[in-house]
């Protein structure tokens, strides 16, 4: 069976965690470890008997000696289970696969390993108390334990700091094999991608690629069997829905019968109420001992007699009722609730206070002592107290002194708590009641006696009310079931404030005048044998313990000779309902049978806060019931008996019979409470007087739990009395024995199968060796991701365990759980020791841990996510349908009444305007004409960072300067007409003059961004590349940049000897040219426009004179530009529309351009807006980076800017010049932020340009405002557009990209078939215009690409028009608005670049959508970029926070992408702020990032490879 299963499933095999810059040994062992024989010490399936003892035997106590780190958390101890897990792992070992280890930055590793952790003082996973910590002395001190840690740390500290050398795996001869292996792994996929990455010989490239390849290979293994049925999720994407497996086991038994307990015998001398019992014993046997408390040395501290209990309780009752508040307005009246806050080592004070409340007829609400103001779960306790209306807290002197105090000595209000009066109950602080005062002792009635708190699965705290009659009946039922008699001695180790400890040790004991020996938890920590010693010392008849107390006693008992347990007639095991307690019971019996312990003495019981005691085993001479159940069957809620040889079985013991006077049945856990069949697991329900009656103040929840009427299969109720749900899952077996297999609270329903958290914990703990995590500090819970529960395991890691070891353990836990439970673990996280939130008694606070995990505040030190294994309900990958021919599409559109998606701007020929510049064909002629007609008209004003004018140019100044530059080009540069000249200038006036100088000389200018003086190494090669690619014959620049190009830093970055001649324009000749060049033909080249696209392609396009003039005219008409106008421009002037606005438009239209270099905003963010305000500008242009700088930099300064007189009310258009989908969130926040300064929200808009046409759309002055639509993101993935309402799920807002420019025609075409598409269909935007570029000047790579981009024809319909393909996906939508010319307005919406879109699972995803989701996932994520590599989605996030938060992001990023995009993230990379490269337009350079990641150049904080 196992072999067959192992082929069926993906086992997340190995995975451990390494450092980004790691030593060669680690790398080598990781890569070739799987192929080498295991050294004996590394044996993966170390069997239990090989468990190693810890390195240092601690000397603090003789009991600690043998409790090695291998000692197991007693609740889950089962040797059979351990062997089963080891066997399953051994099977795995035969088919082990290498899985990539996550990479961790060295600082992160050193920090987490070297922190001086204090190991947890408690390490129990049980809900309540911690376990004794055997090796709690800190990290090991012997050489053996610390040697590899020290060696490793020294290696980390002295290792090389450069990522290339230390991560290269060819450092020493020995790693050749590893290098070759990495190469083999990298090569397997390289076939398809040869063009993408230049594979260098450095191993660094193959390192990340090899890991990804490993991941791809692992993921190729077969998944769980596929499922065929689906449900439609909102029309669009079909999510798999779990279909029942036809072979799954189904219950076949008959319908069960309700089980009746024995009759509750009516004994004549049973008291009529508990207070009456106290009065009886307090008056007739005042000297009888009631309670003996112990100190931490095990010596009796105090003996409370029945007489003292009676008198002190009376005193407390009198003081509560008469000494709080005033006579007229007492604070507490009978029936009010008060809280009892007593520490675990003071049962006597608690008992006095509890009975004092009963006598005063007020309702005690016992809770734990709050240790700090921020205890885990303390807030929820506060809500309970508030809802109960508690105003008084009773406490002891010592406890009162220990509570946190404010500087004035008052007890602060705890978070979420009501205001309380703290009242100390010690006798010396109380007034004596007057002689004539006597408490009113009634027979038990339906008034509430006490409220017991209960913590739910989600962390909320409820109060279960128990009436006085239920309290008394429960004591009677326990007395009968346990055969209690007067003056018996009972040893109680349990918490006396609630549950079994309260019922036996405080309540039933008083009814029967028994003597309770109370063992505090602090004594158990020091001496785990103390309870056994007290049983011997007092010859106790009964002991109340948990299985962990039995386990600790086993570990410590060897030193004891004279133990005799023959006096015990009952050993009540309070957590006997936990199936994993059976092994402790068996082991305890084996060891102590020789010491007088009889088998029938061990009595497991089952209890719950709602139903009190559910069942208890009676001490009769019959062997206990056992069941070996198939774990597989249990996940379907079916009982199937199995043999112990099988690996996945659960052995359960009975918890005895139904309580006297009660009826029990089991009902289906969800839906209507229908009776189960005899072989079916259900929730146990009880009908009795002795149960809780309600959740205080919550009638709805009460009804669902306390008023259940079980139904028979025919639909009728089985009795007229309501049953109570116990929260326990189980069945009633042969002979009426009750079996419990788990709790409803621990139930996780994954893909329709039920798993119990306790069972998962047990399997995790059975994975030896346990040297890496703390026993019992393990939390298992489920989170809901993508319509199913996903299992999460969180454990505390020991500070001395290495990364490798922990990952080894983690991967084996995953294998074990997969083998035993046939369920995948979604996330396994290790946190540093002592960091999980604790309950007041030291256990793990489960709901708080889950909360921290979900909000990303858990700060794990290791994380392993396995979404590929677990998530089996993703939608089916989209199958590409055989393409419908373009003709059919067109006919289909016509038939359905859809128009073909096409639109155009105004017709240039029909616009009548007094455009004087139209009569010139060339811009150089326009400039000469302006220099003659309006010589002193200012065209350009350049501002510096202080907002003052740095420079300005009039028409004649520009003309004269251009003439001088033309002379220089001809004389000094010896250039011919048509030669190319690179202009390397900072943004300013020189650039403009140089451009027109080139036109006057007949040369073709290329504007190039100058290298950054602080970053020559990366910016200069780009300059060099553009100069070479554009075949520039000479380079013009300023004197300063001239020096920079010849500097030593430049020589280190590029070969400076190969620069073309460099001309410095700071020193110009004084003469004019003989003549100004006039081109022969308007179609000749005017200038070249070079730009790097977001996909990292450098492309130069050719702009002819005709296109340049048409472009300027189109912008003039759209923006209504005239000489009297002023326009503010804050853009980079090197390419696209930014260059045209900066250099060309003013000369053509004659308006004044106020130039603001974007770099100046870094020193003065308000510069641009102040200039707009000061010059009363109506039209301004900026980039997204400028807008972002203003939004972030001026967000808090709007008031002071207003005071400085900043006024934006005159702004008519503020256009963001962009080549991407409009960033609607940024434009909206900008509009909102500056609305108070007069900015009209409708003024902000965007433009759209691309390589083939530098401006297609631009919001002009006339025409309707830009519109926004909401589209369904899931439809977009299928290339469909479906409009939805704002705020509907999966909706994506898209803003129109400005108005189509005059002279521009647009059509939407299918990028594959080139057929025209209908309105509101997603396709490629094609453009036809007189200002289209005339072609690529040069592009690396595909030559056929070029002609297609500029000269495409539709395959159907209008096949004559020549179109240029923009490479952007978008759609057109006819709106209700009217254009300036009275037509209905067509809006163009851009979705994203075709090159950047990622095809995953057959669907098209746009990176920006995934990135937006990821940035929302956690407050510390400042930026995100995604790309794909070998079909894996890689998500890179920038972390703004401490490196310890890096691992919190991995599950959150994985969850959000799954939930919102139905995609599994393959790799999560966490990097520092500023690592994601962004170009001058503010666009992410995702391909550069990808190449940097694969070449291992990012120095990430953490890299997680999701399995």
């Amino acid at each position: 069976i196992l072999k067959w299963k192992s082929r069926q499933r993906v086992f997340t095999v190995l995975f451990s965690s390494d450092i980004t810059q790691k030593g060669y040994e680690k790398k080598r062992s990781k890569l070739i470890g799987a192929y080498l024989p295991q050294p004996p010490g590394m044996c993966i399936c170390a069997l239990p008997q090989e468990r190693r003892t810890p390195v240092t035997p601690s000397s603090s106590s003789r009991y600690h000696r043998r409790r090695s780190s291998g000692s197991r958390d007693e609740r889950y101890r089962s040797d059979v289970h351990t062997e089963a897990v080891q066997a399953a792992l051994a099977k795995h070992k035969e088919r082990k696969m290498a899985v990539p280890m996550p990479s961790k930055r060295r600082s992160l590793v050193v920090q987490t390993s070297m922190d001086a952790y204090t190991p947890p003082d408690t390490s129990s996973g049980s809900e309540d108390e911690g376990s004794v910590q055997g090796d709690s002395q800190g990290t090991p001190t012997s050489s053996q334990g610390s040697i590899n840690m020290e060696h490793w740390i020294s290696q980390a500290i002295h290792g090389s700091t450069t990522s290339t050398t230390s991560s290269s795996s060819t450092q020493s001869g020995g790693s050749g094999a590893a290098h070759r292996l990495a190469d083999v792994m990298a090569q397997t996929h390289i076939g398809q991608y040869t063009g993408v990455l230049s594979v260098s010989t450095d191993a660094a490239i193959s390192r990340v690629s090899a890991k990804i390849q490993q991941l791809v290979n692992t993921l190729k293994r077969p998944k769980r069997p596929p499922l065929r049925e689906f449900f439609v999720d909102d029309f669009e994407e079909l999510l798999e829905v779990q279909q029942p497996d036809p072979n799954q086991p189904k219950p076949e038994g008959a319908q069960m019968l309700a089980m009746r307990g024995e009759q509750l015998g009516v004994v004549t001398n049973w008291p009529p109420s508990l207070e009456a019992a106290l009065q009886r014993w307090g008056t007739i046997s005042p000297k009888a001992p009631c309670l003996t408390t112990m100190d931490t040395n095990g010596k009796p501290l105090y003996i409370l007699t029945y007489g003292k209990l009676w008198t002190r309780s009376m005193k407390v009752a009198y003081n509560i009722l008469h000494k709080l508040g005033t006579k007229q307005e007492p604070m507490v009246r009978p029936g009010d609730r008060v809280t009892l806050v007593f520490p675990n080592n003071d049962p006597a004070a608690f008992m006095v206070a509890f009975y004092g409340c009963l006598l005063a007829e007020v309702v005690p609400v016992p809770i734990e002592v709050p240790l700090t103001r921020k205890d885990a779960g303390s807030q929820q306790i506060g809500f309970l107290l508030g809802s109960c209306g508690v105003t008084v807290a009773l406490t002891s002197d010592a406890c009162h002194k220990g509570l946190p105090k404010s500087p004035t000595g008052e007890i602060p209000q705890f978070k979420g708590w009501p205001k309380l009066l703290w009242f100390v109950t010690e006798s010396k602080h109380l007034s004596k009641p007057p002689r004539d005062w006597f408490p009113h002792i009634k027979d038990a009635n339906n008034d509430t006696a006490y409220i017991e708190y209960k913590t739910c699965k989600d962390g909320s705290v409820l109060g279960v009310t128990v009436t006085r009659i239920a309290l008394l009946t429960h004591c009677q039922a326990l007395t009968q079931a346990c055969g209690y008699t007067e003056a018996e001695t009972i040893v109680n180790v349990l918490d006396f404030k609630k549950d079994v400890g309260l019922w036996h040790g405080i309540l039933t004991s008083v009814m029967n005048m028994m003597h309770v020996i109370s063992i505090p938890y602090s004594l158990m920590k020091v001496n785990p044998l103390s309870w056994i010693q007290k049983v011997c010392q007092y010859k106790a008849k009964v002991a109340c313990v948990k299985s962990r107390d039995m386990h600790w006693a086993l570990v410590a008992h060897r030193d004891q000779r004279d133990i005799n347990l023959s006096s015990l007639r009952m050993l009540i095991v309070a957590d006997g309902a936990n199936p994993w307690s059976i092994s402790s019971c068996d082991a305890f019996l084996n060891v102590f049978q020789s010491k007088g312990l009889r088998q029938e003495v061990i009595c497991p019981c089952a209890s719950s806060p709602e139903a009190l005691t559910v069942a208890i085993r009676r001490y009769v001479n019959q062997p206990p019931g056992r069941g070996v159940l198939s774990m597989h069957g249990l996940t379907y809620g079916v009982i199937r008996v199995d043999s112990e040889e099988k690996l996945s079985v659960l052995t359960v013991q009975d918890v005895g019979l139904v309580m006297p006077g009660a009826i029990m049945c089991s009902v289906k856990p969800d839906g209507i409470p229908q009776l189960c069949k005899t072989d079916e697991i259900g929730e146990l329900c009880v009908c009795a007087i002795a149960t809780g009656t309600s959740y205080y103040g919550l009638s709805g929840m009460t009804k669902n739990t306390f008023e259940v009427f079980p139904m028979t299969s025919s639909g009728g109720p089985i009795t007229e009395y309501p049953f109570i749900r116990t929260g326990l899952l189980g069945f009633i077996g042969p002979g009426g024995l009750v079996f419990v297999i788990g709790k409803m609270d621990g139930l996780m329903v994954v893909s329709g199968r039920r798993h119990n958290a306790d069972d998962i914990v047990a399997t995790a703990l059975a994975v030896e060796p346990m040297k890496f995590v703390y026993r019992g500090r393990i939390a298992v819970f489920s989170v809901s991701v993508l319509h199913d529960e996903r299992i999460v395991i969180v454990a505390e890691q020991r500070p001395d365990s290495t990364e490798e070891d922990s990952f080894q353990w983690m991967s084996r836990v995953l294998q074990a759980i997969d083998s035993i439970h046939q369920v995948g673990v979604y996330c396994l996280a290790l946190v540093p020791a002592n960091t999980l939130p604790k309950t007041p008694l030291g256990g793990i606070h489960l709901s708080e841990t889950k909360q921290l995990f979900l909000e990303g505040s858990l700060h794990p030190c290791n994380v392993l996510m396995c979404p590929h294994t677990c998530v089996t309900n993703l939608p089916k990958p989209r199958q590409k349908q055989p393409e419908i021919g373009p003709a059919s599409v067109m006919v289909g559109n016509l038939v359905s009444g859809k128009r073909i998606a096409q639109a155009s701007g105004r017709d240039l020929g029909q616009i009548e305007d007094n455009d004087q510049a139209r009569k010139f064909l060339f811009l150089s002629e326009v400039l000469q004409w302006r220099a003659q007609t309006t010589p002193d008209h200012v065209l350009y004003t350049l501002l510096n960072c202080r907002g003052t004018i740095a420079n300005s140019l009039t028409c004649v100044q520009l003309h004269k300067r251009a003439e001088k530059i033309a002379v220089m080009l001809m004389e000094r540069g010896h250039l011919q007409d048509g030669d190319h000249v690179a202009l390397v200038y900072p943004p300013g006036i020189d650039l403009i003059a140089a451009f027109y100088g080139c036109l006057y000389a007949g040369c073709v200018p290329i504007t190039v961004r100058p290298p950054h003086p602080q970053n020559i190494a990366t910016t200069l090669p780009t300059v060099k590349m553009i100069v070479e690619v554009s075949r520039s014959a000479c380079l013009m620049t300023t004197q300063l940049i001239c020096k920079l190009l010849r500097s030593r830093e430049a020589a280190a970055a590029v070969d400076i000897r190969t620069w073309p001649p460099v001309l410095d324009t700071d020193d110009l000749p004084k003469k004019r040219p003989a003549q100004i060049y006039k081109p022969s033909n308007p179609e000749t080249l005017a200038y070249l426009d070079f730009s790097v696209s977001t996909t990292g392609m450098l492309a130069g396009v050719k702009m002819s004179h005709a296109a340049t003039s048409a472009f300027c005219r189109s912008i003039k008409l759209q923006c209504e530009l005239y000489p009297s106008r002023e326009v503010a421009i804050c853009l980079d002037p090197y390419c696209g529309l930014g260059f045209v606005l900066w250099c060309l438009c003013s000369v053509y239209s004659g308006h004044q351009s106020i130039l603001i270099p974007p770099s100046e905003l870094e020193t003065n963010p308000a510069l641009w807006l102040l200039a707009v305000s000061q010059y009363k500008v109506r039209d301004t242009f900026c980039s997204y980076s400028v807008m972002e700088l203003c939004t972030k930099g001026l967000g808090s300064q709007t008031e002071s800017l207003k005071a400085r007189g900043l006024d934006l009310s005159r702004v008519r258009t503020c256009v963001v010049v962009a080549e991407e989908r409009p960033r609607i969130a940024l434009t909206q926040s900008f509009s909102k932020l500056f609305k108070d300064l007069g900015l009209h929200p409708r003024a902000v808009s965007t433009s759209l340009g691309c390589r083939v046409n530098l401006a297609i759309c631009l919001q002009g002055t006339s025409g309707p405002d830009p519109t926004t639509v909401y589209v369904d993101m899931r439809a977009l993935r299928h290339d469909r557009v479906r409009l939805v309402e704002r705020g509907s799920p999966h909706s994506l807002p898209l803003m129109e990209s400005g108005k189509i420019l005059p002279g521009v025609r647009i059509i939407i075409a299918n990028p594959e078939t080139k057929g025209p598409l209908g309105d509101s269909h997603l396709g490629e935007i094609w453009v036809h215009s007189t200002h289209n570029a005339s072609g690529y000047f040069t592009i690396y790579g595909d030559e056929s690409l070029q002609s297609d981009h500029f000269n495409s024809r539709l395959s159907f319909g209008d096949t004559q028009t020549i179109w240029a393909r923009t490479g952007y996906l978008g759609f057109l939508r006819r709106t209700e608005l009217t254009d300036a010319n009275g037509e209905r307005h067509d809006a163009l919406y851009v979705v994203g670049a075709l090159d950047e879109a990622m095809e995953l699972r057959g669907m098209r995803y746009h990176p920006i959508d995934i990135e937006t989701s990821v940035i929302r996932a956690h407050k510390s994520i400042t930026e995100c970029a995604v790309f794909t590599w070998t079909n894996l989605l890689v998500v890179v996030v920038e972390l703004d926070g401490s490196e310890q938060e890096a691992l919190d992001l991995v599950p959150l990023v994985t969850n959000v992408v799954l939930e919102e995009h139905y995609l599994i993230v393959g790799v999560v990379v966490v990097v520092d702020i500023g690592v994601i490269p962004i170009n001058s337009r503010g666009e992410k350079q995702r391909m550069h990032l990808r190449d940097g990641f694969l070449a291992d150049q990012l120095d990430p904080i953490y890299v997680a490879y999701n399995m």
Side-chain angles (χ1 to χ4, degrees), residues 266-277:
V266 181
V267 180
T268 48
N269 64 348
W270 270 355
S273 68
L274 206 53
E275 309 89 287

Side-chain angles (χ1 to χ4, degrees), residues 582 606 789 931 1028:
I582 187 168
E789 293 297 306
E1028 284 171 3

Side-chain angles (χ1 to χ4, degrees), residues 1277-1305:
R1277 292 171 206 157
H1278 295 262
D1279 291 339
R1280 294 202 294 279
V1281 175
R1282 197 170 83 230
L1283 298 185
V1284 291
E1285 289 300 313
R1286 176 182 179 175
S1288 57
H1290 300 279
S1291 65
L1292 172 72
L1294 291 176
M1295 184 164 101
E1296 176 186 355
S1297 293
K1299 301 289 167 283
I1300 300 169
L1301 278 169
V1304 175
R1305 280 174 63 200

Side-chain angles (χ1 to χ4, degrees), residues 952-971:
S952 65
L953 272 183
T954 61
C955 300
V956 74
Q957 285 169 332
L958 176 57
H959 168 66
K960 288 189 168 161
R961 192 117 187 248
E963 285 188 321
K964 290 175 185 171
I965 290 172
V967 171
M968 185 179 186
L969 283 169
M970 294 174 207
E971 295 188 355

Side-chain angles (χ1 to χ4, degrees), residues 1093-1330:
S1093 75
T1094 46
T1095 51
M1097 301 272 268
L1098 174 69
V1101 293
K1102 300 186 282 199
M1103 286 296 287
S1104 67
H1105 286 283
T1108 308
S1109 299
F1111 197 175
C1112 291
R1113 171 159 162 73
S1114 191
I1115 292 173
K1116 175 188 188 306
L1117 292 169
Q1118 190 83 332
C1119 300
E1120 298 177 8
L1121 299 176
Y1122 305 105
S1124 56
R1125 299 283 304 284
E1126 288 167 338
V1127 172
I1129 296 165
C1130 189
L1131 285 167
D1132 275 322
Y1134 299 108
C1135 61
L1137 183 55
F1139 163 74
V1140 173
L1141 290 166
W1142 190 281
C1143 291
L1144 310 184
C1145 286
S1146 272
V1147 168
Y1148 186 89
S1149 309
H1151 62 275
Q1152 180 183 349
S1153 290
I1154 296 153
L1155 307 176
I1156 303 152
S1159 52
E1160 304 287 9
L1161 265 68
E1162 285 166 21
T1163 46
N1164 178 7
L1167 175 64
W1168 167 50
L1169 295 178
L1170 284 168
V1172 167
S1173 166
Q1174 183 187 337
Y1175 289 93
K1176 304 185 172 44
V1177 168
R1178 291 175 69 186
D1179 301 283
T1180 179
F1181 296 86
C1182 70
S1183 64
Y1184 279 124
S1185 8
V1186 166
M1187 194 169 263
E1188 193 157 28
L1189 201 66
C1190 291
T1191 313
K1192 285 184 177 161
L1194 305 174
S1196 55
Q1197 299 176 27
T1198 46
E1199 286 308 312
S1200 63
L1201 289 172
K1202 203 170 192 171
R1204 284 167 69 182
L1206 183 71
D1207 174 22
L1208 302 177
S1209 58
R1210 290 184 194 79
V1211 177
R1212 193 168 52 156
T1213 57
C1214 168
V1215 178
V1216 186
V1217 173
E1219 301 190 1
E1220 57 180 300
R1221 175 201 299 177
R1223 299 191 200 169
I1224 195 161
L1226 178 57
T1227 55
Q1228 281 176 349
S1229 47
F1230 179 81
S1231 303
K1232 273 192 197 130
L1233 188 61
F1234 296 108
K1235 190 175 79 177
D1236 294 347
L1237 298 174
L1239 181 69
H1240 199 287
R1242 295 201 301 257
V1244 180
S1245 63
T1246 66
S1247 69
L1248 172 66
C1250 62
R1251 290 287 69 202
V1252 299
N1253 185 314
L1254 305 180
I1256 299 166
C1257 302
L1258 175 64
Q1259 186 74 24
T1261 45
S1262 55
D1265 298 322
T1267 54
T1268 299
V1269 293
Y1270 292 84
V1271 297
D1272 188 316
M1273 220 161 14
R1274 289 161 308 176
L1276 273 186
R1277 292 171 206 157
H1278 295 262
D1279 291 339
R1280 294 202 294 279
V1281 175
R1282 197 170 83 230
L1283 298 185
V1284 291
E1285 289 300 313
R1286 176 182 179 175
S1288 57
H1290 300 279
S1291 65
L1292 172 72
L1294 291 176
M1295 184 164 101
E1296 176 186 355
S1297 293
K1299 301 289 167 283
I1300 300 169
L1301 278 169
V1304 175
R1305 280 174 63 200
I1306 287 175
I1307 192 156
I1308 305 293
N1310 181 319
E1312 279 90 31
T1313 65
K1314 301 189 179 178
L1317 292 171
D1319 225 2
S1320 292
H1321 271 250
L1322 190 68
E1324 189 181 8
I1325 301 165
W1326 287 15
V1327 59
H1328 171 81
S1329 149
T1330 46

Side-chain angles (χ1 to χ4, degrees), residues 20-323:
T20 307
Q21 317 164 341
K22 50 185 158 328
Y24 111 90
E25 289 176 359
K26 231 171 167 192
K27 184 74 207 142
R28 177 169 179 267
S29 60
K30 183 92 271 120
L31 282 169
I32 61 178
Y35 302 89
L36 294 177
Q38 290 283 341
M42 289 261 309
C43 174
I44 287 193
C45 55
L47 287 167
Q49 61 265 36
E50 289 179 30
R51 225 177 281 145
R52 296 191 205 141
T53 45
V55 189
T56 49
S58 73
S59 54
S60 74
S61 147
R62 56 192 183 162
Y63 301 114
H64 283 152
R65 215 158 291 143
R66 285 190 196 77
R67 217 160 319 112
S68 70
S69 58
S71 87
R72 303 273 301 282
D73 181 18
E74 39 327 306
R75 297 179 303 153
Y76 302 110
R77 184 182 165 69
S78 159
D79 291 327
V80 177
H81 192 60
T82 306
E83 281 159 28
V85 169
Q86 300 306 331
L89 289 172
K91 292 269 168 81
H92 267 285
K93 195 181 158 194
E94 298 159 14
R95 36 183 296 287
K96 187 169 148 190
M97 264 187 83
V99 166
M101 205 169 140
S103 311
K104 204 183 250 190
R105 180 177 292 168
R106 180 182 295 145
S107 61
L108 195 56
V109 177
V110 174
Q111 200 172 342
T112 49
S113 330
M114 292 168 65
D115 271 351
Y117 288 127
T118 51
D121 49 340
T122 60
S123 77
S124 141
S126 69
E127 310 71 62
D128 36 23
E129 287 135 75
S131 62
V132 175
Q133 188 57 42
D135 40 354
S136 58
Q137 265 51 52
T139 44
T141 51
S142 89
S143 58
Q144 175 195 350
S146 46
I147 182 164
N148 63 13
M149 192 65 188
E150 277 166 21
H151 158 72
W152 183 84
I153 289 173
S154 65
Q155 210 180 339
I157 292 167
H158 301 306
S160 149
T161 51
T162 62
S163 60
T164 44
T165 53
S166 61
S167 61
S168 151
S169 43
T170 49
Q171 274 182 346
S172 83
S175 74
H179 191 183
R180 282 196 298 279
L181 177 68
D183 275 356
V184 169
M185 300 186 106
Q187 292 305 327
T188 45
H189 248 264
I190 248 163
Q192 301 135 298
Y193 298 102
T194 40
V196 181
L197 217 155
S198 51
V199 179
S200 74
T201 49
D202 183 359
I205 288 199
S206 64
R207 200 185 128 211
V208 177
S209 321
K211 286 197 162 190
I212 291 193
Q213 194 49 52
Q214 261 179 296
L215 186 53
V216 170
N217 291 345
T218 312
L219 297 177
K220 275 186 188 157
R221 291 143 81 209
K223 272 253 187 83
R224 309 261 147 94
L227 299 157
R228 281 158 302 287
E229 297 298 316
F230 305 92
F231 67 81
V232 177
D233 181 40
D234 293 11
F235 322 118
E236 218 38 80
E237 306 232 329
L238 300 155
L239 276 177
E240 297 240 13
V241 63
Q242 200 68 32
Q243 283 304 305
D245 172 2
N247 306 321
Q248 76 177 45
K250 295 190 174 63
E252 293 155 4
Q255 183 174 303
M256 71 162 297
L257 299 169
M259 198 69 209
R260 212 172 260 282
E262 64 200 80
Q263 198 176 351
L264 188 57
V266 181
V267 180
T268 48
N269 64 348
W270 270 355
S273 68
L274 206 53
E275 309 89 287
L278 173 59
Q279 182 185 17
R280 179 200 287 180
W281 306 128
T283 46
I284 67 170
S285 317
K287 297 267 189 311
C290 168
L291 178 75
T292 300
T293 62
M294 297 291 159
D295 65 11
T296 43
N297 300 318
K299 301 272 186 298
L301 186 64
Y302 182 76
I303 297 173
L304 180 70
T305 61
Y306 276 95
K308 283 181 189 161
L309 176 61
W310 167 239
T311 53
R312 287 183 189 172
S313 305
M314 285 217 302
K315 205 171 184 182
V316 168
Y318 173 75
N319 278 269
I320 293 176
L321 292 175
H322 298 282
K323 294 293 172 185

Side-chain angles (χ1 to χ4, degrees), residues 20 154 257 334 587 589 621 625 751 813 825 1044 1159 1262 1332 1356 1388 1494:
T20 307
S154 65
L257 299 169
L589 180 65
N621 227 335
S751 305
V813 166
V825 173
L1044 194 63
S1159 52
S1262 55
N1332 274 5
F1356 195 79
L1388 174 68
L1494 294 171

Side-chain angles (χ1 to χ4, degrees), residues 1064-1086:
D1064 153 22
T1065 52
D1066 289 356
D1067 168 28
L1068 290 174
K1070 299 285 181 278
K1071 52 200 242 188
R1072 297 176 55 184
Q1075 75 202 56
I1076 292 178
Y1077 174 81
K1078 181 173 178 182
S1080 51
N1081 174 358
E1083 293 308 321
T1084 54
L1085 201 51

